[in-house]
Amino acid sequence: MDLALEQAKACETRGEIPVGAVIIKDNQVVSQAGNRIVELKDTTAHAETLAIRAASEILGNERLIDCDLYTTLEPCTMCAAAISYARIRRLYYGAEDVKFGGVDNGVRFYHAKSCHHRPEVYGGINEAEAANMLKAFFRARR
């Protein structure tokens, strides 16, 4: 999670919402990413989707079986679906997202009958640090 938090901090300096993600396989970092929505002018350029795209390219497979994803914020529904389609084994996230989260809040994507793959989910990892970074980011813009 420390690497994901570093990615989130880098986002902040670029003016992006500070969310970072890291994909691990066999205790090795496969990919890391931070939000690049503003920079790429792409609403799908969330940290999780960028990390999944990079890991798929690096591993040469769209299925990221035996991979774990660490992200600083509870994934939205779009990212939760991408995690499911990629067959990520475990999802670890930091801060809860009561407004836009799609895992333990909102639509709770992994509880839907139509969800074909459910990763193990562990929330609240370094939650205070991740939440404080997000709160500070938005407070500075209001």
Side-chain angles (χ1 to χ4, degrees), residues 5-142:
L5 286 163
E6 285 177 25
Q7 287 293 321
K9 288 174 189 166
C11 288
E12 211 168 10
T13 63
R14 295 191 310 269
E16 299 276 1
I17 296 172
V19 178
V22 177
I23 295 182
I24 305 285
K25 182 175 184 175
D26 299 327
N27 295 317
Q28 299 294 316
V29 174
V30 177
S31 66
Q32 304 180 61
N35 277 352
R36 292 192 178 276
I37 298 162
V38 175
E39 177 186 337
L40 299 176
K41 295 172 184 45
D42 178 356
T43 58
T44 68
H46 292 199
E48 300 91 337
T49 59
L50 295 174
I52 288 169
R53 289 174 192 160
S56 293
E57 188 172 324
I58 289 164
L59 297 174
N61 197 331
E62 74 281 6
R63 308 268 192 220
L64 301 178
I65 296 166
D66 297 327
C67 289
D68 300 330
L69 189 146
Y70 292 78
T71 183
T72 57
L73 182 64
E74 175 185 351
C76 68
T77 304
M78 175 187 71
C79 291
I83 290 164
S84 176
Y85 291 138
R87 307 292 200 286
I88 298 284
R89 175 179 54 187
R90 292 185 198 103
L91 165 65
Y92 299 90
Y93 73 83
E96 234 186 11
D97 189 346
V98 244
K99 195 171 184 181
F100 296 110
V103 176
D104 289 324
N105 290 284
V107 301
R108 300 179 56 175
F109 185 80
Y110 302 133
H111 296 291
K113 288 181 181 179
S114 58
C115 180
H116 61 282
H117 171 75
R118 293 165 182 83
E120 293 175 33
V121 176
Y122 303 93
I125 313 297
N126 290 59
E127 182 174 18
E129 187 175 354
N132 289 337
M133 191 182 312
L134 286 158
K135 287 175 188 172
F137 177 83
F138 287 111
R139 191 173 28 251
R141 276 147 185 77
R142 291 186 176 131

